[in-house]
Amino acid sequence: QGTLIGTGIDAVGLPYEIYRFTVLHTYAAATEYKAFFESCCRIAQLINAGNASFRVEADVSLQSGNTGGPVSGIPVIIQMQVGGVRQFVLPVFDPDNDAHTCRFSTTAESAIPTNPPVIGSNPITFVQPGCTIQWDTTGGVVGNRYAVSIAVESLHNGKSSKATIDYM
């Protein structure tokens, strides 16, 4: 089950818990791998992924000189006020200082049927350049929840590393 590292209460008063799962694995060779975990099910109240499976993955390049791929630390629940254009800066770090890009994960990478989610006709978008998420929440309903998955990618000596970031 992992280690409980925090608890909180969302904007509508519902409690949640955050767990950390740590996995150690020794790879057989210094090449490229895909590490992932997946399971069922997301919470039923998600507008775009209620009871859907979830998947989080990373493309790992163990080539010589690559310290690591891009990472991010964000809250698992990002709360946005309804009724206008809102932005959230996704903090991203690459230990080799390799340039990174952000995009929405595919259904194969995240198991989210509709990613990015939409309010009315307003999908979440990225403000370019960078990893700033923008969403026009006009028409949104207080308490509605959406699943979102973002892939953060970097190149090191021509080899790609990727991490998917999953949140609500």
Side-chain angles (χ1 to χ4, degrees), residues 26-147:
T26 302
Y27 290 96
T31 186
E32 297 177 39
Y33 297 93
K34 183 177 297 293
F36 68 93
F37 63 92
E38 61 188 351
S39 189
C40 184
C41 292
R42 294 178 183 270
I43 64 173
Q45 295 80 11
L46 294 172
I47 301 301
N48 64 320
N51 291 319
S53 295
F54 65 88
R55 180 181 173 100
V56 177
E57 65 179 45
D59 290 341
V60 181
S61 174
L62 300 178
Q63 71 182 18
S64 178
N66 190 21
T67 305
V71 296
S72 181
I74 65 170
V76 293
I77 299 175
I78 297 174
Q79 300 179 71
M80 294 183 161
Q81 185 179 19
V82 298
V85 177
R86 309 296 178 221
Q87 291 187 344
F88 176 79
V89 177
L90 181 69
V92 177
F93 172 76
D94 186 285
D96 300 304
N97 287 325
D98 294 326
H100 61 270
T101 60
C102 293
R103 63 175 174 79
F104 292 102
S105 303
T106 65
T107 298
E109 293 168 321
S110 67
I112 298 174
T114 305
N115 188 46
V118 177
I119 293 177
S121 62
N122 304 322
I124 296 178
T125 60
F126 281 108
V127 176
Q128 298 297 334
C131 294
T132 298
I133 299 161
Q134 180 171 289
W135 202 359
D136 183 349
T137 62
T138 302
V141 176
V142 173
N144 278 0
R145 293 171 183 81
Y146 301 83

